[in-house]
Amino acid sequence: MGVWWIVVVAILAHTASAAVREYHWEVEYKFGFPDCKEGMVMAVNGQFPGPTIHALAGDTIVVHLTNKLATEGLVIHWHGIRQLGSPWADGAAGITQCAITPGDTFTYKFTVDKPGTHFYHGHYGMQRSAGLYGSLIIDAAKGKREPLRYDGEFNLLLSDWWHESILSQELGLSSKPMRWIGEAQSILINGRGQFNCSLAAQFSNATAQFSNTSLPMCKFRKGDQCAPQRLHVEPNKTYRIRLASTTGLASLNFAVQGHKLVVVEADGNYITPFTTTDIDIYSGESYSVLLTTDQNPSQNYWISIGVRGRKPKTPPALTVLHYLTAPSSQPPSSPPPETPRWNDFERSKNFSKKIFSAMGSPPPPRKFKKRLILLNTQNMIDGATKWALNNVSLVVPSTPYLGAVKYKLKKGFERKSPPVSFPVDYDIMNPPRNRNTTRGNGIYVFPFNVTVDVILQNANGLDANASEIHPWHLHGHDFWVLGYGEGKFRAGVDEKTYNLKNPPLRNTVALYPYGWTALRFVTDNPGVWFFHCHIEPHLHMGMGVVFAEGVNRIGKIPDEALGCGLTKHFLMNRNNS
């Protein structure tokens, strides 16, 4: 009786402290000037980027999402939220729900269980690249304190921007031969960038490598949508800067002129703090850094965000760290920080290898029960360029996997699982001898509460001497990053190099050229979860797999999530019987 009463009191106390935060959103296109050039953007309630959600750990988020697009479906993925007990609210079209049809409304309802820096974005077609994204910031629960001390904070949502529409990009990627989307025209900070001018035009070398002609100095009028948002700071204070990358293609590098950065959070998990001059951030990743304003208080300083991992044809995004003791109109006195060389991958790897979990973080299980080794390759299907895993290029079916699995539908997707590995004699250092691949929509099915290792193996693409960085994102989970390696993964050998003491917990991880990345997670979240490259065109071209786990434990799914494909007919028959 006493124990029961303690449990009841604890539940009531939690309920009293947690809040329900409810939003009514409408998504539609509007004209905007993200980089000082007019174009169509996807807006939420007229805002681009979408509204920032602020919540406390333990709160329930309710979003009534209305699709006011004329001809496109719509979903929103809550990136970094594990959706414990609410897999149907994950927001992955064809995986956990049907796309919301024009004119319809769908309600997302989920609990945010721990503090962290996250974001949300479209997950239907390439709508993320059209501007459908916003920040999702979770602070510590009421009465709890974070293990960080700072005087103020800023939130920077980073993205890349094209002048070509996403529908045109999608058509080009599906064409025979493929028409590649090219590099972005601009990098945006909180939806703002400058395409046809430069904040640093007075420094002749600042944009020379990106343009055949010198860009003029930017001149903004009051209310210009592309004017940069400056970060206003007081001297001798410590500020938390939250960074999240929702880029469609670009890997980025973040630096603040003259200031050190102390990295304290990665993908919503605290890490062992370390100091650096700059940060590499890949699509799908988020970080928090602490910056102390200990420089000359009579000066202002550049904030620079440049392209890494790809030959940069896009100028860095710039804004200013403005010391309130300096004139606001005074530009920094020297050129912006120079972005590290785009293909210095050793520098990138060294940064990744500095990230360790914070003291007190849960350690990974010592051994795995299941293992997948996923070979990332670029291939062809009937003249179309595709990306594949173990020679299968994913095609998401019209019936959401979650409904097909929950209701044990015999059709809807291939019941045979994709390969769990690839041939041992595959040469990862050269273009594939067999350039062809196959389409598929089979999934990997795991029992509940087993430990799974995933080895991501990179390889050469279709062209010689070409292997790309792929940031891989897992829905529904955090995973431990056990290690990185060069060349082909050697089973029975490379496991000895794993970090089992303090590996970081992440939801997105980089796979570097010609190497492998090892991660581990526990199948303790019943549902169906997408695992995919977070580069928009790569996912569009088939670079993903699907995990189902604990399928007999999946709870009730709202009928509204599954009103398409075979689940629509199943639900109609069930409700009429």
Side-chain angles (χ1 to χ4, degrees):
M1 184 70 173
V3 173
W4 175 85
W5 178 248
I6 291 172
V7 171
V8 170
V9 170
I11 292 173
L12 290 175
H14 171 77
T15 304
S17 63
V20 176
R21 301 179 186 269
E22 192 165 4
Y23 306 88
H24 295 264
W25 285 359
E26 294 180 344
V27 172
E28 58 187 335
Y29 282 106
K30 76 168 195 174
F31 288 109
F33 293 82
D35 63 352
C36 304
K37 180 179 173 64
E38 187 178 49
M40 287 171 51
V41 299
M42 275 191 171
V44 179
N45 291 353
Q47 292 182 231
F48 165 75
T52 296
I53 291 178
H54 286 279
L56 303 181
D59 287 353
T60 297
I61 307 294
V62 180
V63 178
H64 307 283
L65 183 65
T66 299
N67 181 0
K68 298 195 74 174
L69 306 172
T71 59
E72 298 176 54
L74 172 72
V75 298
I76 285 183
H77 169 55
W78 313 95
H79 188 110
I81 305 303
R82 294 182 292 175
Q83 300 293 349
L84 302 174
S86 53
W88 55 269
D90 185 54
I95 311 295
T96 58
Q97 72 170 103
C98 303
I100 307 165
T101 54
D104 285 346
T105 299
F106 180 76
T107 297
Y108 293 96
K109 183 178 181 180
F110 54 90
T111 299
V112 291
D113 63 309
K114 60 189 180 72
T117 302
H118 306 295
F119 60 100
Y120 61 85
H121 61 80
H123 216 304
Y124 179 77
M126 292 173 59
Q127 290 178 348
R128 174 160 51 96
S129 290
L132 183 51
Y133 45 73
S135 294
L136 175 53
I137 307 301
I138 312 301
D139 287 312
K142 191 173 182 179
K144 303 286 186 180
R145 295 184 65 181
E146 283 194 279
L148 306 175
R149 298 291 177 266
Y150 49 91
D151 302 299
E153 72 173 60
F154 300 98
N155 179 44
L156 302 183
L157 186 60
L158 313 178
S159 56
D160 41 13
W161 186 254
W162 283 261
H163 296 161
E164 181 183 13
S165 75
I166 60 165
L167 297 180
S168 177
Q169 291 183 40
E170 291 171 358
L171 176 61
L173 293 170
S174 303
S175 296
K176 303 176 185 180
M178 177 191 68
R179 297 185 184 183
W180 178 239
I181 65 172
E183 305 304 313
Q185 275 69 60
S186 305
I187 304 299
L188 308 183
I189 306 172
N190 290 341
R192 296 165 179 249
Q194 298 79 41
F195 164 68
N196 51 9
C197 65
S198 172
L199 301 179
Q202 71 270 37
F203 304 107
S204 59
N205 65 336
T207 59
Q209 61 177 310
F210 308 103
S211 176
N212 294 325
T213 59
S214 297
L215 293 175
M217 176 71 75
C218 293
K219 296 180 180 180
F220 303 107
R221 293 171 296 183
K222 185 176 181 180
D224 277 356
Q225 297 172 12
C226 60
Q229 295 176 333
R230 296 179 170 217
L231 276 60
H232 303 288
V233 297
E234 297 179 21
N236 301 312
K237 301 285 188 181
T238 296
Y239 292 87
R240 179 181 190 169
I241 302 178
R242 297 180 185 264
L243 301 167
S245 175
T246 183
T247 55
L249 178 63
S251 304
L252 301 175
N253 179 269
F254 173 86
V256 181
Q257 186 179 42
H259 292 72
K260 299 289 187 181
L261 307 172
V262 180
V263 189
V264 293
E265 178 208 355
D267 291 356
N269 294 285
Y270 301 121
I271 63 172
T272 300
F274 68 95
T275 302
T276 182
T277 56
D278 57 88
I279 280 186
D280 283 343
I281 181 169
Y282 302 101
S283 178
E285 291 187 329
S286 65
Y287 289 98
S288 282
V289 301
L290 300 181
L291 176 147
T292 299
T293 51
D294 55 4
Q295 299 301 298
N296 184 343
S298 66
Q299 298 292 320
N300 294 318
Y301 300 88
W302 292 112
I303 297 172
S304 179
I305 299 161
V307 174
R308 293 269 281 140
R310 306 183 64 82
K311 191 171 184 179
K313 299 179 181 178
T314 310
L318 296 174
T319 189
V320 172
L321 185 74
H322 169 226
Y323 277 62
L324 291 173
T325 46
S328 61
S329 60
Q330 174 181 294
S333 59
S334 56
E338 188 171 334
T339 301
R341 184 164 47 88
W342 70 274
N343 58 354
D344 186 352
F345 297 119
E346 288 306 312
R347 195 179 197 279
S348 302
K349 295 172 195 174
N350 287 338
F351 176 81
S352 293
K353 292 175 182 179
K354 292 178 182 177
I355 302 173
F356 301 103
S357 63
M359 186 178 299
S361 300
R366 303 293 297 180
K367 297 181 179 180
F368 65 88
K369 181 75 173 179
K370 304 280 187 180
R371 180 163 68 186
L372 303 177
I373 305 178
L374 300 178
L375 176 68
N376 293 229
T377 56
Q378 189 181 39
N379 301 89
M380 305 292 292
I381 298 179
D382 299 327
T385 304
K386 298 292 181 183
W387 287 93
L389 285 307
N390 292 350
N391 209 39
V392 178
S393 185
L394 180 66
V395 179
V396 176
S398 58
T399 299
Y401 288 108
L402 184 62
V405 166
K406 168 69 174 177
Y407 298 121
K408 299 180 173 62
L409 303 183
K410 293 183 179 180
K411 297 181 179 180
F413 65 91
E414 301 165 18
R415 293 294 157 169
K416 183 180 178 181
S417 291
V420 298
S421 189
F422 62 93
V424 294
D425 62 348
Y426 188 92
D427 182 4
I428 68 164
M429 303 304 295
N430 290 293
R433 289 192 293 266
N434 177 14
R435 295 167 63 88
N436 298 317
T437 188
T438 57
R439 295 183 177 90
N441 60 22
I443 65 177
Y444 297 100
V445 181
F446 300 113
F448 179 69
N449 210 33
V450 301
T451 301
V452 176
D453 276 13
V454 179
I455 313 300
L456 294 165
Q457 176 67 65
N458 214 339
N460 201 100
L462 287 170
D463 297 328
N465 303 313
S467 183
E468 300 185 29
I469 289 179
H470 299 288
W472 276 84
H473 172 58
L474 178 59
H475 294 221
H477 286 279
D478 287 335
F479 50 73
W480 291 276
V481 182
L482 301 183
Y484 305 87
E486 308 296 327
K488 191 184 295 185
F489 180 79
R490 300 166 297 170
V493 176
D494 286 325
E495 295 94 335
K496 298 174 184 178
T497 68
Y498 285 177
N499 174 15
L500 298 177
K501 179 183 177 182
N502 56 356
L505 277 166
R506 306 294 302 262
N507 61 58
T508 304
V509 68
L511 174 61
Y512 292 106
Y514 300 110
W516 55 264
T517 300
L519 56 95
R520 178 170 290 176
F521 71 100
V522 177
T523 60
D524 55 4
N525 191 9
V528 180
W529 307 110
F530 217 170
F531 183 48
H532 61 87
C533 178
H534 210 257
I535 292 175
E536 282 273 64
H538 290 184
L539 176 57
H540 183 77
M541 298 160 72
M543 201 170 195
V545 296
V546 178
F547 299 152
E549 60 189 72
V551 295
N552 60 331
R553 295 170 177 254
I554 296 173
K556 179 176 172 54
I557 303 171
D559 289 354
E560 294 79 11
L562 302 174
C564 62
L566 297 177
T567 47
K568 176 181 179 179
H569 302 292
F570 171 84
L571 294 172
M572 289 175 60
N573 292 334
R574 186 193 66 179
N575 294 336
N576 291 332
S577 61

